[in-house]
Amino acid sequence: MSGEADPGLFGPDSVTWQMHGDPMMWVAGVRALYLQALHPRAVRGVMINSDFQRDAWGRLLRTANFVGTITYGTADAAEKAGARVRRIHRLLGVDDPDLLLWVHCAEVDSYLQVQLRSGFPLSAAQADRYVEEHRVSARLVGIDPKLAPATTAELAAYFTAVRPELEAGADARTVDDFLRRPPIHTLLVPARELIWRRIASVAYNALPPYAHEMYGRPAPTPDRVTRQLIATGTVLRCIPSRLRWQLPPGHILKAMARLGADTRPAPYKLRRQAAILDRPGRAHRSDGGDSGRWRNPS
C-alpha cells in the first residue's frame, strides 16, 4: 500500500473492508429492508418523505453506493457522503435519533447474519469487531456513536428492547409486496421471476422467526434457511470478483488502484486474522436475530 494513499475510514485491515466485497451483501440488503419495515414510525417516514414507491430501484442503488463509498472511498469522500445523508434526513424530517438507530441496527444485523449463515468466514471476535467498526457509519448518518451497539451481544440486546414497538402494518406490507414483485419493464419480467424473487425469498427467510410471525408468511426451519443461504452464497461467489466489481460505480477497483492490488477484499484474509482475534471455544449465532441458536466457529 502506498504510504501516501488514503485508506478511508475503515481500511484494508478492517472486517468491513473484507466483508463488504462479498456478493451476499445484496441479499443482506434486502433482508435489511424487510426488517426495517417492521418499525411503524420508521417505515411511515420513508413512505411519506421519500420516493421509495416511485423510484425504489434508484433508492436501493443509492444505498449501495453510500455503503460502497464509506467502505472503500477516501475519508473525505466518506465524510461528504455522510454529510449529504444527514442533510437529506434534516430536510425530510426523518432525523429522529431513535429511528436512525433502528435503521442502523437493522442494516448491521442483516449484513452480519446473512454473511455468517452463508458461510463467510467470520469468527466470533471478528463479528464483534464488525459491529464496533460500524459505530463509524452510525456517526456518519447522524447517530451518537456511543449509543450504537459495539458488540453482537449489545446488538441482540437492542433488538430485545425494541421488539415491543415492531409490527407489520400496512406500510410494511407495501414494502413486502414491492420486494416480492417489484415493478419493472415487461421484457425483464422473466428475469424477475427467475432471479429476483429467489433472492427476495432467501432474504425474507433469513429474518428472525418473530419477523415471519409479524408478516404472517411462514418460512422454512432455521437449519433449512441456513442451507439455502450457503447454497446461494456458493453460487454467487462463483462469479469472478473482478467481473462483479466492474459494475458501476466500481468502488473496490478504485480503492485497489489507489492503495495497491494487495488490498483487494478476500475472505482468506479474515481466516488469517481469526487465530489472533479469537479465543478458543467462543461461539456465534447461526440463524439470525435472537432465536438463541449457536454454533462453534469453523
Side-chain angles (χ1 to χ4, degrees), residues 109-121:
D109 182 71
S110 293
Y111 298 158
L112 190 57
Q113 294 299 338
V114 166
Q115 295 290 28
L116 282 170
R117 298 177 69 189
S118 67
F120 195 83

Side-chain angles (χ1 to χ4, degrees), residues 14-29:
S14 67
V15 176
T16 296
W17 187 279
Q18 311 305 336
M19 197 174 95
H20 283 190
D22 189 80
M24 285 298 285
M25 286 291 290
W26 287 99
V27 176

